[in-house]
Amino acid sequence: MQEPVLQVEDLHVTFHTDLGTTPAVRGLSYALPKGKILAVVGESGSGKTVQALAILNLLPSTAQVTGGKILYQGKNLLALKNAQLRRIRGKKIAMIFQDPGASLNPVLTIGEQLCETLHAHEKISKPTARKRAAELLSQVGIQDAEKRLDEYPFQFSGGMCQRVMIAMALALHPDVLIADEPTTALDVTVQAQILKLMKDLQRQNGMSVIFITHNLAVAAQVADEVLVLYAGQCMEHAPAAELFKQPFHPYTQGLLNSLASVHKKVEKLPAIAGNPPRPGEVLPGCPFAPRCAHAQARCFEQCPPLYTNSFRRTRCFLQEGK
Ligand SMILES: Nc1ncnc2c1ncn2[C@@H]1O[C@H](COP(=O)(O)OP(=O)(O)OP(=O)(O)O)[C@@H](O)[C@H]1O
Ligand SMILES: [Mg+2]
């Protein structure tokens, strides 16, 4: 096994709102291998964003980490003071978000924003920062970079804005990049270009990436490993090739089947019958049991553990004894 660059250990995150207490992440553990892309996949509300925000201490004030550790370079990020974390955030662990338009400041030029990022962490002269900013823009495939530094976000298309966000995230050569649905807001052709760009840059820079997506087809294009989240829990975690060839968990099988039917242009089926548990609803057994064709009586009473089999982990009683 490759040395992990980041380790999430038994992470629990709970929201406290007027509507009640909602456990959003429940006992999540994984290791991000060095130089690899781990896709975190799951339906809306499964906890993908919340677990990522916990890594960088960016959770909203209504959320609380109620347990676990996040280890980076031997340190538990959850125990660091804000000043210490600020040195890691952006420089060592960078994050890009779904909506590139909303992440850029509309009243500053692209160049000003890139230079600001560079200046925030490094002591460099203005001309050096500008030169670096232009290099970064060309690196993410934006032509006429020098000229475009003086343009404003509204002069860039959605795909170009996302390229700028990637350039900003790469500006400080982070070890870890967390990309939360970086291509969801883009049309399919641009999405494919951005995915290719991310994969190329990841290889060139030897970065490790946590790639968050609700779309297994997107995960298939980029990931080395896939972790399937459901109701805040890991249901399955496996090397991508193996997971796509033979998914073990009935939930992953359902996700893959619905994908296959879309590809074959069969009339679009509902992804998987039924709905995930409502926020705040914690079932005594497996959270997927009510939607699972293989569920037995005990699946409703007891939550299965994560069964580990060589490099794969599966939370399903069907894996017991295998
Ligand atoms: N601001 C909030 N207030 C209360 N509960 C929240 C809030 N944000 C998230 N949650 C809870 O945390 C759960 C996980 O949310 P999260 O945003 O991580 O889902 P996600 O997997 O990223 O979904 P999506 O694909 O829609 O982005 C939600 O189901 C909800 O119960
Ligand atoms: Mg999300």
Side-chain angles (χ1 to χ4, degrees), residues 220 223-226 238-247 312:
D224 297 298
E225 290 185 16
V226 178
E242 292 179 36
L243 182 124
F244 289 113
K245 197 165 115 206
Q246 193 192 6
R312 304 187 64 158

Side-chain angles (χ1 to χ4, degrees), residues 15 17 22 24 43-50 60 62 181 214 279:
F15 279 88
T17 64
T22 308
E43 284 169 285
S44 185
S46 56
K48 306 182 295 294
T49 297
V50 167
T62 47
E181 306 265 15
H214 64 277

Side-chain angles (χ1 to χ4, degrees), residues 94-162:
M95 184 154 178
I96 44 183
F97 296 92
Q98 174 168 344
D99 184 356
S103 309
L104 289 166
N105 187 337
V107 301
L108 294 179
T109 64
I110 298 294
E112 282 166 337
Q113 298 187 57
L114 275 167
C115 290
E116 199 173 82
T117 305
L118 292 166
H119 280 303
H121 289 273
E122 286 174 36
K123 284 199 171 60
I124 47 172
S125 70
K126 276 194 176 163
T128 312
R130 194 177 158 90
K131 190 163 160 275
R132 283 272 303 281
E135 281 165 12
L136 282 163
L137 278 196
S138 356
Q139 208 191 346
V140 296
I142 294 181
Q143 302 188 343
D144 283 333
E146 181 66 34
K147 198 175 109 226
R148 303 218 67 164
L149 284 178
D150 297 321
E151 294 184 355
Y152 289 88
F154 77 86
Q155 293 168 289
F156 279 53
S157 68
M160 301 248 284
C161 285
Q162 197 55 294

Side-chain angles (χ1 to χ4, degrees), residues 237-273:
H237 177 189
E242 292 179 36
L243 182 124
F244 289 113
K245 197 165 115 206
Q246 193 192 6
F248 285 168
H249 200 288
Y251 177 55
T252 319
Q253 290 164 5
L255 288 176
L256 278 172
N257 284 341
S258 59
L259 203 65
S261 65
V262 174
H263 275 184
K264 285 183 209 133
K265 298 212 165 40
V266 179
E267 193 179 323
K268 197 173 171 191
L269 299 162
I272 300 169

Side-chain angles (χ1 to χ4, degrees), residues 4-190:
V5 56
L6 184 86
Q7 271 171 287
V8 174
E9 281 183 16
D10 199 23
L11 179 69
H12 289 259
V13 182
T14 304
F15 279 88
H16 298 280
T17 64
D18 296 345
L19 299 172
T21 299
T22 308
V25 177
R26 298 191 291 148
L28 179 66
S29 300
Y30 63 84
L32 175 66
K34 206 167 158 44
K36 301 279 181 202
I37 303 184
L38 168 74
V40 175
V41 181
E43 284 169 285
S44 185
S46 56
K48 306 182 295 294
T49 297
V50 167
Q51 63 86 28
L53 295 177
I55 297 173
L56 290 171
N57 194 15
L58 292 173
L59 286 167
S61 59
T62 47
Q64 198 187 356
V65 174
T66 47
K69 283 185 194 162
I70 295 171
L71 299 172
Y72 173 75
Q73 292 184 338
K75 291 194 191 88
N76 179 9
L77 296 184
L78 297 176
L80 292 189
K81 299 218 165 50
N82 246 326
Q84 294 170 299
L85 197 61
R86 236 175 281 131
R87 260 173 262 143
I88 291 178
R89 200 189 290 147
K91 181 145 178 66
K92 300 286 187 189
I93 306 178
M95 184 154 178
I96 44 183
F97 296 92
Q98 174 168 344
D99 184 356
S103 309
L104 289 166
N105 187 337
V107 301
L108 294 179
T109 64
I110 298 294
E112 282 166 337
Q113 298 187 57
L114 275 167
C115 290
E116 199 173 82
T117 305
L118 292 166
H119 280 303
H121 289 273
E122 286 174 36
K123 284 199 171 60
I124 47 172
S125 70
K126 276 194 176 163
T128 312
R130 194 177 158 90
K131 190 163 160 275
R132 283 272 303 281
E135 281 165 12
L136 282 163
L137 278 196
S138 356
Q139 208 191 346
V140 296
I142 294 181
Q143 302 188 343
D144 283 333
E146 181 66 34
K147 198 175 109 226
R148 303 218 67 164
L149 284 178
D150 297 321
E151 294 184 355
Y152 289 88
F154 77 86
Q155 293 168 289
F156 279 53
S157 68
M160 301 248 284
C161 285
Q162 197 55 294
R163 286 174 193 263
V164 173
M165 293 314 299
I166 295 171
M168 284 212 196
L170 295 175
L172 304 163
H173 302 291
D175 289 341
V176 177
L177 176 66
I178 304 175
D180 190 358
E181 306 265 15
T183 60
T184 305
L186 308 173
D187 68 52
V188 177
T189 329
V190 182

